[in-house]
Amino acid sequence: MEEKLIVALEIGSSKIKGAIGEVEPTGALTVKAIEEEKLTDSVRYGLIRNVAEVAEAITTVIKRLEAREPDRTITGVYLSVGGRSLMSQVVDVDRRLPDEMEITGALIEDITREALQQPLEDRKVVDVTPREFRVDNAPVSRPVGTYGHHLQAKLNIISLRNQIWRNLNHVVKERLGLRINDFFVRQIAEADLVLLTDEKRLGCALVDFGAETTTISIYKHGVLQYLATLPMGSRNITRDITALNHLEERAEELKITGGNAQPLADQSAPGAAFSGGARDYADINNYVSARAGEIIANIAARIKAAGFSAELLPAGIVIVGRGARLTNFNQRLQTETGMKVRAGVPGAKVRINDSRITPSDAVDVISILAAAAAAPEQCMPLNVSEPVFVAESAPVIMPEPEKPAAEPRKPAPAPAAPSQPYTPRPAQPQPAQPQPVQKPVQERHEQPQPPVQPATQPAHKPAPEPADEPRKQGFGSRLWGKFTQRVADLLSEPADDDEDADE
């Protein structure tokens, strides 16, 4: 079995990111290329607002990725989903069995399907994860294989607004004609990529500090316990700085090069002057530290509202996202929450082929590749269509046998008779009898035409469309199958502790 090339797309508020990964038959993933294109106000809080601009930016990224693999064309992608409306909801399912019996994977799948029947107004379910299972009122982490007559389950139903998914589908599938192989909740994919198994079991919080949103995911006993999204991110800091008469692009530069999340001890100390006679760093950091403090206070409040504390999350906070690169942000987060903080990076399971890629900056799109690598579908097939068209056009050479048809035209010399002076010769139109000779010529022209019609029939490429149609309609049921199977797998296989040995 040969390697498969998979492609991931991350449509964020500040940029579009695309990545190519190569999955070996063993399941090992190598990141081959990452490209990105900046956006301004085309996507807000995860929702695509300007379809044309986003489609153009995705096209640019796709062309750059295809330039890295000249013999291949991107036909399908794996999508990342998220945004301000992303949230988890706990659903309880209680099942009393007729007699003491073994808990099977099929029973877990049935319970998951029942949880998915819960009505959600104007929201789309994008994932389901287990939270707690009890057999005969005793908590169990792996219920499959246990015996009992009473099963209680708590599941996290993760959803977002319907409009976010509709717009994604419209741009990627309908406007650009790319097949959506699957989609993944970015924060869950990131947790699977950067969190250690021991951290999930002890208890930790994953903070995804993005441009316009900050998402907090809390893990305990190896499973997701809580997920919520704050409508604030690093771009809020940038826009605060624009109040000092800077364009947003310049404000972003100033935030990165001189911004400090810690409040300055001596605000009166002179700072380095900005070009153009603007204010000094002390003024800038008044804005930076104030907004950073607000974001940190909200992160701490969400952890507390979920019923957790530093004592219950001894593995601390793992932070990802470019917002976390703000100077001293992680140090201040650690001080104000009383929890240790570390930056999340891809583990040893992922190889990176391009030295220009900074792993900590690309966790978002790499995590989608890693999630897709579990059951990859080819996204970049080899270009083999051209030789087929050459073979089909060959029969068109057939018209050459028409040349013998020119010989019957020899009766045409008859028109030389008009050179005689007799005027009565208008009867000469009657030698128009040579015209029957032209009829066979027309018939011959019609004979080659049938082979030309088959040549147009391949253009009957609507034929793939029907094949694609069932996929379009069956996408929802396919996802339900994925959700139920995922939950059953998580609850039947023992935790793999060896995967962290390389860390």
Side-chain angles (χ1 to χ4, degrees):
M1 189 168 68
E2 64 172 344
E3 295 82 0
K4 290 184 179 179
L5 292 185
I6 56 176
V7 177
L9 271 184
E10 156 68 14
I11 301 175
S13 299
S14 61
K15 59 178 66 66
I16 304 285
K17 280 186 185 177
I20 299 174
E22 182 179 73
V23 184
E24 298 174 10
T26 60
L29 171 67
T30 300
V31 181
K32 300 190 73 176
I34 294 179
E35 296 287 348
E36 61 180 52
E37 181 73 6
K38 289 187 177 179
L39 291 176
T40 305
D41 292 333
S42 301
V43 179
R44 296 301 308 274
Y45 302 110
L47 174 66
I48 296 174
R49 292 185 176 275
N50 191 315
V51 169
E53 287 183 7
V54 171
E56 185 180 349
I58 293 174
T59 301
T60 301
V61 169
I62 292 293
K63 285 180 179 177
R64 289 178 190 162
L65 291 174
E66 287 179 336
R68 301 285 196 100
E69 299 286 336
D71 298 329
R72 295 178 180 266
T73 300
I74 294 175
T75 58
V77 295
Y78 289 91
L79 276 184
S80 160
V81 296
R84 178 171 64 179
S85 65
L86 185 72
M87 62 172 284
S88 68
Q89 174 181 334
V90 179
V91 174
D92 294 313
V93 180
D94 195 295
R95 185 68 59 87
R96 291 191 179 275
L97 306 175
D99 199 358
E100 188 175 36
M101 58 187 292
E102 181 183 353
I103 309 300
T104 63
L107 180 57
I108 298 298
E109 289 186 29
D110 188 49
I111 284 175
T112 306
R113 271 190 289 271
E114 184 178 330
L116 285 167
Q117 299 293 342
Q118 298 293 324
L120 294 174
E121 186 177 351
D122 193 34
R123 298 187 71 81
K124 179 177 181 64
V125 175
V126 289
D127 211 341
V128 181
T129 64
R131 177 168 178 171
E132 183 183 6
F133 276 80
R134 289 176 173 269
V135 176
D136 293 343
N137 210 33
V140 290
S141 58
R142 306 279 165 181
V144 175
T146 61
Y147 272 77
H149 62 270
H150 185 200
L151 178 62
Q152 298 165 285
K154 288 181 183 290
L155 297 171
N156 297 305
I157 305 295
I158 300 166
S159 64
L160 46 68
R161 284 175 57 198
N162 275 332
Q163 189 180 3
I164 291 179
W165 172 249
R166 283 199 305 267
N167 288 8
L168 275 172
N169 194 65
H170 175 69
V171 171
V172 177
K173 193 169 187 177
E174 298 173 17
R175 194 174 181 112
L176 298 180
L178 293 171
R179 184 180 68 255
I180 300 175
N181 287 345
D182 208 340
F183 63 86
F184 300 95
V185 177
R186 187 183 71 245
Q187 288 78 10
I188 292 178
E190 287 171 340
D192 291 341
L193 180 68
V194 305
L195 296 183
L196 307 180
T197 302
D198 286 350
E199 287 176 329
K200 286 185 177 182
R201 291 164 68 182
L202 285 169
C204 68
L206 175 69
V207 174
D208 182 358
F209 187 13
E212 291 190 332
T213 59
T214 300
T215 303
I216 301 100
S217 312
I218 299 177
Y219 285 81
K220 185 77 174 177
H221 306 306
V223 295
L224 179 69
Q225 300 286 336
Y226 177 83
L227 184 148
T229 302
L230 302 171
M232 55 178 62
S234 62
R235 182 175 277 179
N236 294 79
I237 300 173
T238 303
R239 287 180 171 164
D240 287 344
I241 298 173
T242 61
L244 297 175
N245 300 321
H246 292 293
L247 294 175
E248 188 168 328
E249 294 80 4
R250 176 61 176 154
E252 179 70 15
E253 289 176 24
L254 297 174
K255 178 188 74 177
I256 292 171
T257 57
N260 195 329
Q262 293 280 20
L264 297 180
D266 183 5
Q267 297 288 354
S268 63
F274 294 129
S275 60
R279 303 171 189 261
D280 61 18
Y281 277 109
D283 294 327
I284 290 292
N285 283 328
N286 284 335
Y287 285 97
V288 175
S289 62
R291 182 67 75 174
E294 181 187 15
I295 292 170
I296 289 170
N298 276 274
I299 292 171
R302 286 289 181 171
I303 293 173
K304 183 177 179 181
F308 292 92
S309 61
E311 293 73 25
L312 293 174
L313 302 175
I317 294 173
V318 179
I319 189 165
V320 296
R322 287 193 177 179
R325 294 169 61 187
L326 180 65
T327 303
N328 287 329
F329 183 87
N330 292 359
Q331 290 86 333
R332 185 172 179 184
L333 178 62
Q334 180 168 311
T335 301
E336 298 194 11
T337 60
M339 302 166 68
K340 61 183 180 182
V341 177
R342 75 168 179 88
V345 294
K349 293 182 292 185
V350 176
R351 296 192 296 264
I352 296 179
N353 230 8
D354 191 341
S355 59
R356 294 171 294 179
I357 298 172
T358 305
S360 59
D361 287 347
V363 165
D364 47 6
V365 73
I366 292 175
S367 69
I368 304 303
L369 288 178
E377 291 183 38
Q378 181 67 264
C379 294
M380 295 187 76
L382 285 166
N383 298 328
V384 291
S385 54
E386 288 181 12
V388 177
F389 289 112
V390 174
E392 284 180 11
S393 61
V396 182
I397 301 173
M398 291 292 292
E400 277 196 26
E402 289 178 14
K403 287 187 179 176
E407 290 179 9
R409 288 193 177 182
K410 286 183 182 177
S419 63
Q420 294 181 4
Y422 291 105
T423 50
R425 285 243 175 182
Q428 277 249 340
Q430 229 147 356
Q433 283 185 355
Q435 282 179 352
V437 178
Q438 288 178 346
K439 279 186 185 178
V441 175
Q442 284 180 346
E443 287 172 8
R444 276 199 178 177
H445 274 294
E446 288 170 11
Q447 281 177 351
Q449 275 182 332
V452 177
Q453 281 176 346
T456 55
Q457 274 179 333
H460 223 283
K461 291 189 178 172
E465 287 282 13
D468 236 12
E469 231 12 62
R471 195 162 199 163
K472 225 186 266 184
Q473 294 169 354
F475 201 57
S477 59
R478 180 172 161 229
L479 288 177
W480 277 34
K482 182 191 80 166
F483 295 155
T484 56
Q485 187 63 51
R486 171 181 170 134
V487 174
D489 289 346
L490 285 171
L491 298 172
S492 58
E493 296 175 5
D496 184 6
D497 297 327
D498 298 334
E499 67 183 26
D500 302 324
D502 297 330
E503 297 296 328

